[in-house]
Amino acid sequence: MGRRLGSFIFFFLVFFINATCCRGKSQQQFPKKQVPFFIFGDSFLDAGNNNYINTSTLDQANFWPYGLTYFKFPTGRFSDGRLLSDFIAKRAKLPLIPPFLQPGFRQYYHGVNFASSGAGALAETFRGFVIDLKTQLSNYYKVASWFRHTLGNDEGEATISRAVHLFSIGSNDYMSPFLTNPTILNNYNDSTYVGMVIGNLTTVIKEIYRGGGRKFAFINVPELGCVPGMRIIKSDNNGSCLEDATRLATLHNKALSKVLFELEKRLEGFKYSLFDFNSNLRQRMQHPSKYGFKEGETACCGSGQYRGVFSCGGKRRVKEFQLCKNPKEYVFWDSYHLTERTYRQFADQMWGGTSNPDDVGPYNMKNLFQIH
Ligand SMILES: *[C@@H]1O[C@H](CO)[C@@H](O)[C@H](O)[C@H]1NC(C)=O
Ligand SMILES: *[C@@H]1O[C@H](CO)[C@@H](O)[C@H](O)[C@H]1NC(C)=O
Ligand SMILES: *[C@@H]1O[C@H](CO)[C@@H](O)[C@H](O)[C@H]1NC(C)=O
Ligand SMILES: *[C@@H]1O[C@H](CO)[C@@H](O)[C@H](O)[C@H]1NC(C)=O
């Protein structure tokens, strides 16, 4: 009798301890030392957020032939296949990072993609059609609080401090005036305009840092005047690069290197990786065959000179378009965006490259994921 009661109590205790210990803390499901990957910015990184907002097809890529090479269906990525961030995730042994707005997506362990095609650091950039950087930041706050809630404050914060935050931002701030209303730029000189873009980006970086984020990665902006879609804007210049846009891009890239260098000095524990997207793209545009491409300047998909008319897929203003046979031979996929093959090469440099000759530093992405 006593023994049976004893074993009953013992059984009950074991049951009770099992049931109460560790409740709500998902140690079992959650790999220790997880390094989440948070992605911010524009169409170079958007994995499909714009599929779920009220926007126009100018900012969407959820129709054929987008996605044709790898996914075999349009995911919303502006490419024939995967993006830079998809390859980085793969190298970090993470699955594809889903878009924040994807219905039903609630398990943020591996990270979240907040990027939105057309977005800029300035709220004015394509306003009403995109999720601007500040709104991406408020979505990030929701996810950061999910981490603290799900893992407990300490482990949640430790996880955020291990997380890598990748940004691609600025291109749309500099291109949108030329594509919508160039007189916007009459109100500013180049350095004040670039100062606003960098200022707004810096605010977001500091906010993430204040919330415990420590690891950041950036790509700079390409020579914007020379992308196919920008070359054809001025009908009288016969396809040469649009110098006004390139000048802004050059200033931006200088200012970005400088501000990151300063932030690293001022913010304890702030670590970053900056990839020279600009010079890597220019190399491939000028010497495509050196990198295994056949065509460096004309896009695979689009119409007109350089296929600079943004008509890939035929769902925008211009309905007819040409599609190349083999996207692997092209650096540019459409009038503004790159092929999966180009992104893969860039991701390889960002992941394992060194400051010379691959132009990534002070950390590469591999270091950034691995340091704690
Ligand atoms: C979407 O945007 C269009 C034009 O900007 C507007 O007319 C429409 O009401 C919006 N739809 C929703 C559901 O917000
Ligand atoms: C740009 O404008 C700002 C303020 O309006 C001024 O301080 C600065 O000197 C100007 N820079 C150039 C290069 O003109
Ligand atoms: C951010 O951008 C706005 C324009 O959208 C500008 O008025 C403001 O000065 C910028 N902020 C910083 C810190 O540069
Ligand atoms: C325009 O550019 C093409 C190719 O770059 C060149 O062959 C042609 O001579 C140029 N035309 C003029 C008027 O400059």
Side-chain angles (χ1 to χ4, degrees), residues 151-222:
L151 302 176
N153 264 327
D154 291 351
E155 190 48 35
E157 266 156 36
T159 306
I160 294 289
S161 77
R162 285 193 299 267
V164 173
H165 304 74
L166 172 66
F167 290 80
S168 163
I169 202 80
S171 294
N172 291 303
D173 298 303
Y174 303 117
M175 291 196 297
S176 64
F178 299 99
L179 298 169
T180 57
N181 175 11
T183 64
I184 293 168
L185 293 172
N186 296 346
N187 303 329
Y188 309 95
N189 61 35
D190 286 358
S191 51
T192 43
Y193 193 74
V194 169
M196 287 197 315
V197 173
I198 295 288
N200 279 270
L201 172 59
T202 308
T203 305
V204 170
I205 296 169
K206 285 181 174 165
E207 283 295 304
I208 293 174
Y209 178 85
R210 213 163 56 92
R214 290 296 177 268
K215 303 185 201 169
F216 295 82
F218 304 86
I219 66 175
N220 64 10
V221 301

Side-chain angles (χ1 to χ4, degrees), residues 178 190 223-226 230-231 234 237 240-250:
F178 299 99
D190 286 358
E223 201 167 325
L224 294 169
C226 300
M230 296 293 278
R231 284 183 160 196
K234 277 195 185 155
N237 79 345
S240 56
C241 297
L242 191 65
E243 290 308 326
D244 291 347
T246 293
R247 216 175 43 242
L248 287 167
T250 307

Side-chain angles (χ1 to χ4, degrees), residues 76-87:
R77 286 169 175 80
F78 271 95
S79 183
D80 57 311
R82 288 162 290 182
L83 306 176
L84 260 173
S85 36
D86 296 320
F87 290 111

Side-chain angles (χ1 to χ4, degrees), residues 43 46-48 51 60-83 86-87 96 300-301 312-313 316 321 323 327-328 333-334 337-341 343:
S43 55
D46 182 1
N51 299 350
Q60 287 180 318
N62 50 356
F63 42 83
W64 187 86
Y66 288 95
L68 100 167
T69 306
Y70 179 74
F71 297 100
K72 314 291 179 199
F73 67 95
T75 62
R77 286 169 175 80
F78 271 95
S79 183
D80 57 311
R82 288 162 290 182
L83 306 176
D86 296 320
F87 290 111
L96 290 173
C300 167
C301 187
C312 182
R316 305 191 184 101
F321 66 99
L323 175 63
K328 285 193 166 61
W333 160 249
D334 72 11
H337 307 97
L338 311 178
T339 54
E340 164 171 298
R341 186 171 190 205
Y343 285 132

